[in-house]
Amino acid sequence: MDCEFSSRIGHVPPSFLREIFRVIADERIISFAGGLPNPNLFPTAAFARAMQATLDESARSALQYGATEGIPELREVVAKSYVQKDDIEVSADHVIITNGSQQGLDLLGKVLVNENDTIAVESPTYLAAIQALSLYRPSFLSVPLNDNGLDSNALEAVIEEHAPKLLYTIPNFQNPTGLTYDDDVRKRVVQILKNRRTVLVEDDPYGEIRFEGERRTPFAKYKDDAVLLGSFSKIVAPGLRLGWIVTRDMDLYDRLLIAKQAADLHTSSLIQHVVYRYYRDNDAQAHIETIAAHYKKQKNAMITALHKHLGDSITHTNPEGGMFIWATLPERVDTAKLFRLAVEEGVAFVPGESFFTSDAPKNTMRLNYSNSTPSRIDEGVRRLSRALDRYDF
Amino acid sequence: MDCEFSSRIGHVPPSFLREIFRVIADERIISFAGGLPNPNLFPTAAFARAMQATLDESARSALQYGATEGIPELREVVAKSYVQKDDIEVSADHVIITNGSQQGLDLLGKVLVNENDTIAVESPTYLAAIQALSLYRPSFLSVPLNDNGLDSNALEAVIEEHAPKLLYTIPNFQNPTGLTYDDDVRKRVVQILKNRRTVLVEDDPYGEIRFEGERRTPFAKYKDDAVLLGSFSKIVAPGLRLGWIVTRDMDLYDRLLIAKQAADLHTSSLIQHVVYRYYRDNDAQAHIETIAAHYKKQKNAMITALHKHLGDSITHTNPEGGMFIWATLPERVDTAKLFRLAVEEGVAFVPGESFFTSDAPKNTMRLNYSNSTPSRIDEGVRRLSRALDRYDF
């Protein structure tokens, strides 16, 4: 075509993901690369009942156009969970149902970000958040992540100097590192943002999948205008593409609704009705605990295998929940190069470089444990150690 | 919140739609306002079977993350329909599954439109297309619509003078007018665009719902790089939020994929699997013919009622398919003002003004007939004539 593309679309960083998807389609490869929940744990039978109940009870509204913000019953499910778990005053009127939390990022970018605005992000941060926000052509500011959360001195300096439009965070079992913010760090972040125009965004797709330690408090408990992004992808199933935004700032809410309406009118009514009934008729919390119990075993299997097969060659995080371990290899190792050898050996991971908006170290990687059995995890890490042996020769 | 919103979101024109949705929630109002398909015609039983078959056959992939472009089986369904109906060379590789055709508009805006680019649109045109594209801050150029399609002299002048980035068209049973382009006009449009950089977009959500006359040929038959937007909303059910983009320009395809990935990773795998099985296991064409037969009766009922109750006070289009009639009242009538009286009388429509990007006449309205029975249509038009009587006093 002779047409010119928008400058915007040229601004999106190339993603390693497509190559990864190609590689992991090969069944012989053990993949620690994706962020796939374990499909053995999908609540298929409960879903079949919820689908039937939807068509029996509400076929006409489930198949018809609906309100942009989503169906009231499902927004109520979301609101209640914040009230019950954290005693945060959230009502259904503060919830917009989205196509996964990914769409929440796109809508926030649309509504808030002008070209050359600054956005502060954790370093490293979620790859697809960088992609989604990049379309609105901001400058990213990296704030280093420590073992107990965002580096608050660095954050303070960034906020002072740049007054960024957004601070995007994943405080629980962060993607890609698996790290979690202490409550002290959370309070400190809120304090730093007090009386600042920076919008604090908490993306929390993994928070429910905690298998060790104590539940932490969402930012919205300490800060009324924090924006929450959530998702049914990890606690029910990702193929639904169902998530939400919560904001108690009704100006922002209204603008997000305009953007959502322009983007796709609303999220599938059918899927919303089915998931509402899944919650109504099942013990969703018990199911989440089952997922967490499995992931705990898988995480432990990976930690054990890393020690057994890679020993001193690697340092790594030890997450209390979620789906990812972040590993650091000796400085001589470029994980983008190691990736080719690893695939030859039959194992895949995501080279860490993709998760940085600047100053990316070459020797890091993200390892996913949620989609492999303990024995496959052991075998995969063994293959990884063979790849590393070959790298060194 | 103290934050500043993006300039982009302030650029979206206010929509009359929310007020309309409020009004039509009242059961006592006969609504010709929405664009809702008739819910009595939703294939509910077939859907129940398709859902069960999906979970029996493919629960793991239907509930898991999937490829951004959509599942191959459903892309194949879309591609085949162009091959079979119009002998256009479209393959599954040219199809991206979207959240309704509305998302196609957002993705095209993202990928093609820079601020101050020009976009040519029919005058009047689809309200939500104006909204979706407005976010990317273009200037709109209006091209008048005649009874047989776009005014080609006006189009030629616009293309010569402005070389717009996009020409957005709805050539079959246009929303809001119900008008259809003759094949001659189609060929002329393609000729005018030859060797121009303007991307021709054909949005065709209604084309299958033809109840009179002969099927017309999509632009893509005459122009390889025409972009097609399609939707399952009117031929299956809108609550699915399922549509598609077809482009055979692989550069554009790749960029649309990047934008789709950033927007929401992919469209619900579950919905895609269900709709694929609905097509596989049912005579979808027979179902479309049933819809068309009903809409024909409803359209005829509305034409009859308009003559009976409004007589000489109104001129109107007489569509060969789709869901809308466009009516023009005497110049003294402002339909935005008439709307209030009409609601008091218990009937709603969309004032025509919302469908124009410039030079909106005040005396037009869009009437939807797909969501009312013939007797409700007669009663609704009677109420409309009472509102008009009151307007004149």
Side-chain angles (χ1 to χ4, degrees), chain A residues 1 40 60 63 110 239 249, chain B residues 1 6 40 60 63 239 249:
Chain A
M1 195 178 281
N40 296 327
R60 290 168 72 100
L63 295 172
K110 265 196 183 124
D249 178 315
Chain B
M1 194 177 281
S6 66
N40 296 327
R60 291 168 71 100
L63 295 172
D249 178 314

Side-chain angles (χ1 to χ4, degrees), chain A residues 131-149:
Chain A
Q131 276 200 302
L133 295 169
S134 287
L135 276 167
Y136 303 102
R137 309 193 65 184
S139 295
F140 287 104
L141 307 166
S142 294
V143 183
L145 202 54
N146 297 330
D147 285 351
N148 60 348

